[in-house]
Amino acid sequence: MLLWASTLAWAIGLGAKLFDLVVVAGAWGASPPGSFALLPYGSKYPVTPGGFFQPLSAVMALAMLGALVAGWRQPRPLRHWLITGAVAFVLIWAITPTVFWPMINEQYAIATGKASVSVPEAVHLTTRWIAWDSFRIALIAIGFIASVRSLTLATPGLPPDATISGPRKRSA
């Protein structure tokens, strides 16, 4: 059940991040710095991306950690896929506050007139955001694929010393 919850959370996260990049970032990144007025932060937007992604990430973390713990004694290929998803998740959590939050602050400062930059600087900031966000989406896709692959390998009731193809033969 935890693996299904993790897979569902990864799927929702991947779809939402693709929408966020194509539609939302497509709007605020269309013609910077003027298009920064369309950033989804501030009084114009009742829901910010963090208000959606943070609770989703919490559910994903709990489900993924639970699946990892529950699947730890399963055959090695399953454990590897569970670990792959966890590593992708940790990387996402590491780059979001360290890479994205400073860029969000910079964009918002430009949008609200607290900072002034040239058009090429705003375009560079937008290009950098899109490149990093594409990398983050790739990590989410890896996590989703790892979760789906884990589902295909999970075999309830299989003894811990078994392989996917069957139990190991003990040597005499």
Side-chain angles (χ1 to χ4, degrees):
M1 183 169 56
L2 292 167
L3 189 51
W4 274 105
S6 174
T7 303
L8 182 60
W10 278 112
I12 292 168
L14 181 58
K17 242 355 249 154
L18 286 169
F19 176 84
D20 185 55
L21 178 63
V22 173
V23 176
V24 179
W28 62 253
S31 182
S35 59
F36 284 175
L38 299 173
L39 283 166
Y41 309 101
S43 59
K44 293 181 190 178
Y45 289 84
V47 178
T48 63
F52 172 79
F53 286 108
Q54 288 172 354
L56 177 65
S57 293
V59 168
M60 189 183 301
L62 291 173
M64 191 175 12
L65 181 61
L68 183 60
V69 169
W72 193 252
R73 294 188 46 125
Q74 291 296 313
R76 186 173 295 147
L78 175 58
R79 284 194 313 268
H80 287 174
W81 283 108
L82 291 169
I83 291 168
T84 299
V87 168
F89 186 81
V90 167
L91 288 172
I92 292 164
W93 265 25
I95 66 171
T96 296
T98 58
V99 173
F100 287 96
W101 292 357
M103 283 193 286
I104 290 169
N105 289 334
E106 192 176 349
Q107 292 164 334
Y108 193 65
I110 295 166
T112 58
K114 294 178 183 170
S116 179
V117 297
S118 67
V119 171
E121 289 170 325
V123 168
H124 176 70
L125 178 60
T126 302
T127 303
R128 194 172 71 204
W129 171 279
I130 290 171
W132 275 103
D133 207 34
S134 297
F135 175 65
R136 185 164 54 176
I137 289 171
L139 288 173
I140 296 169
I142 289 168
F144 174 66
I145 290 166
S147 190
V148 169
R149 185 64 180 136
S150 296
L151 275 174
T152 65
L153 295 173
T155 309
L158 192 64
D161 65 340
T163 62
I164 297 303
S165 60
R168 292 186 186 148
K169 294 182 180 177
R170 301 189 191 271
S171 56

